[in-house]
Amino acid sequence: MTNVEVKTVAKHYGGTPVLTDITCHFAEGSFTSLLGPSGSGKTTLLRIIAGFVAPDHGNVAIGGKDVTHTPVRARNIGMVFQSYALFPHMNVNQNVGFGLARRGIRGSAARDKIARALEMVRLPDFGARSPKQLSGGQRQRVALARAIVTEPTVLLLDEPLSALDRRLRQEMQVELVRIQRESGLTTIFVTHDQEEALSLSDRVAILDRGEIIQSGRPAEVYERPRTRFAAEFLGDSNFMSGTVRDRTIVLEDGQRIATGFDLPSDGEHATVAVRPEKMTIIGGHDPASDGENQLSARVTNVIYAGPALTYTLQGVDGTTLKVFAQNRDGRPRETGETVTLVWKAADTVPIEA
Ligand SMILES: Nc1ncnc2c1ncn2[C@@H]1O[C@H](COP(=O)(O)OP(=O)(O)OP(=O)(O)O)[C@@H](O)[C@H]1O
Ligand SMILES: [Mg+2]
């Protein structure tokens, strides 16, 4: 069992809390993305799991064994650091073999393992090159080979793709998932990129100011964000607030919004989130059908991006709304047009404001 268990972990730096009461579980063989803004504590959490940083409080267990006081070397973890520095004076083989040498594995045993790791990252003939003879993506793959060569039980990746351009990044995403699936390594992957997190992982965890505010399967977290922060951090959202009456939300201008979920009691304030792609723009006078919400709004901006359009609109009460639309069904709407937005009650998610 090589799951990772983090229990009530806290960390301060000079009196400033960086992580507060982190409890999370990373299942064996799973791929979890850790998402959060800069400074939210992602790297600190990875360093605590790896053993480079000791928590002030709490425990880390790997494979059911408490490793809170176990040194880095004895944890058998592979890590790719945020700045993916390879040792510049060593060639690729030496870089990849670094962890093996430290473990006393040398000679043909080491050579075999290095060759296999380089094959895994699809750089079988690059062993003799120096890091400066590699592209950014190739360096990244060497860093990955260096992390997996010691056959770790856990792989920690700290924004390993952030330095790469879009194309290379997409290629590396596919490679990463392949390597993870083939090796079955329990993987924790830090990223700023929400699409990357949603598309690559079995689970995502959102970190905000040192706390995990929500975690779950990508679709769970995306479709049912619990807070405004989660809704905004993982994708875009429209927010509408009002007073609860008869299981609907009455906006300031009197329009009613239905939701498929429980709401606070009558008279209380409530906020809902709706994803921009869940809303459809219809003609000014078409009525919405049952189970749908509708709202009149004026187009204030249109971004035409070929296959898709992004509309910015203003509701009657002044709320700014965003709609993502496919480029089909006739002409795009124009700035200044008044339109009707429709969307399902089931896509209207109450959140903690
Ligand atoms: N060794 C340290 N000494 C003092 N403060 C630190 C130290 N390491 C991190 N911090 C602080 O802890 C907070 C969290 O840092 P951390 O590197 O974990 O954030 P992060 O989520 O990885 O951010 P980024 O996305 O920018 O990489 C920051 O405010 C940072 O300044
Ligand atoms: Mg970081």
Side-chain angles (χ1 to χ4, degrees):
M1 282 273 286
T2 50
N3 59 344
V4 177
E5 196 93 53
V6 175
K7 256 192 219 140
T8 62
V9 158
K11 180 73 193 171
H12 289 71
Y13 279 119
T16 312
V18 170
L19 296 175
T20 41
D21 199 24
I22 299 270
T23 294
C24 51
H25 172 85
F26 303 93
E28 182 176 8
S30 65
F31 189 119
T32 305
S33 286
L34 205 54
L35 267 164
S38 188
S40 56
K42 305 180 295 293
T43 296
T44 306
L45 180 56
L46 283 199
R47 288 181 163 272
I48 286 174
I49 294 171
F52 293 107
V53 170
D56 301 337
H57 181 264
N59 302 81
V60 176
I62 296 173
K65 194 171 141 263
D66 191 308
V67 294
T68 315
H69 304 288
T70 306
V72 178
R73 281 160 178 250
R75 291 193 193 195
N76 197 19
I77 274 173
M79 185 155 175
V80 175
F81 295 91
Q82 194 162 2
S83 51
Y84 55 85
L86 297 176
F87 305 116
H89 55 288
M90 295 182 184
N91 70 19
V92 167
N93 278 332
Q94 290 163 331
N95 263 284
V96 175
F98 182 75
L100 296 174
R102 284 208 321 192
R103 285 171 169 75
I105 302 168
R106 293 171 205 281
S108 64
R111 278 196 298 277
D112 284 353
K113 284 181 193 289
I114 292 166
R116 247 182 291 139
L118 285 175
E119 240 159 62
M120 189 80 132
V121 298
R122 306 237 159 108
L123 291 175
D125 305 318
F126 282 67
R129 291 218 200 172
S130 95
K132 64 174 182 292
Q133 297 170 310
L134 301 174
S135 74
Q138 289 165 343
R139 265 179 242 156
Q140 204 56 76
R141 283 187 273 166
V142 172
L144 196 57
R146 188 173 61 180
I148 60 179
V149 74
T150 54
E151 293 163 34
T153 50
V154 179
L155 187 59
L156 305 177
L157 306 170
D158 198 351
E159 308 208 37
L161 311 184
S162 59
L164 308 181
D165 70 35
R166 196 181 147 83
R167 189 64 174 276
L168 198 51
R169 196 182 171 108
Q170 286 171 343
E171 279 175 30
M172 280 301 292
Q173 289 172 352
V174 174
E175 293 288 282
L176 244 188
V177 170
R178 176 186 61 80
I179 290 168
Q180 198 270 336
R181 295 280 178 265
E182 280 176 17
S183 62
L185 280 170
T186 306
T187 302
I188 309 175
F189 175 71
V190 170
T191 176
H192 266 105
D193 182 329
Q194 29 145 322
E195 241 180 76
E196 190 168 274
L198 290 171
S199 58
L200 302 188
S201 12
D202 304 312
R203 293 180 76 78
V204 293
I206 301 178
L207 203 61
D208 180 26
R209 285 169 291 180
E211 278 183 72
I212 291 182
I213 54 160
Q214 189 168 2
S215 64
R217 289 197 310 276
E220 256 167 29
V221 180
Y222 185 77
E223 303 291 336
R224 285 225 59 186
R226 270 208 293 266
T227 66
R228 192 178 182 114
F229 181 87
E232 280 181 314
F233 200 77
L234 199 65
D236 270 298
S237 256
N238 292 306
F239 300 101
M240 282 162 273
S241 297
T243 308
V244 179
R245 202 184 309 146
D246 303 327
R247 273 174 272 136
T248 60
I249 294 174
V250 183
L251 304 183
E252 234 167 73
D253 59 20
Q255 300 194 75
R256 278 173 182 264
I257 303 288
T259 148
F261 306 94
D262 290 340
L263 281 171
S265 330
D266 275 13
E268 285 193 43
H269 186 81
T271 300
V272 288
V274 184
R275 298 291 187 190
E277 70 279 12
K278 307 281 191 189
M279 290 180 155
T280 309
I281 296 179
I282 62 170
H285 302 290
D286 301 337
S289 25
D290 269 4
E292 285 191 327
N293 287 304
Q294 75 174 75
L295 202 63
S296 159
R298 198 170 55 83
V299 177
T300 56
N301 192 42
V302 186
I303 298 170
Y304 179 88
L309 295 139
T310 301
Y311 291 100
T312 310
L313 307 104
Q314 195 166 42
V316 181
D317 62 354
T319 320
T320 299
L321 299 158
K322 203 186 244 188
V323 175
F324 299 148
Q326 298 296 314
N327 186 5
R328 58 166 186 238
D329 305 332
R331 68 174 177 87
R333 306 284 167 170
E334 276 162 33
T335 303
E337 264 187 78
T338 295
V339 297
T340 301
L341 302 179
V342 296
W343 72 94
K344 293 194 174 98
D347 294 328
T348 310
V349 181
I351 51 159
E352 297 160 28

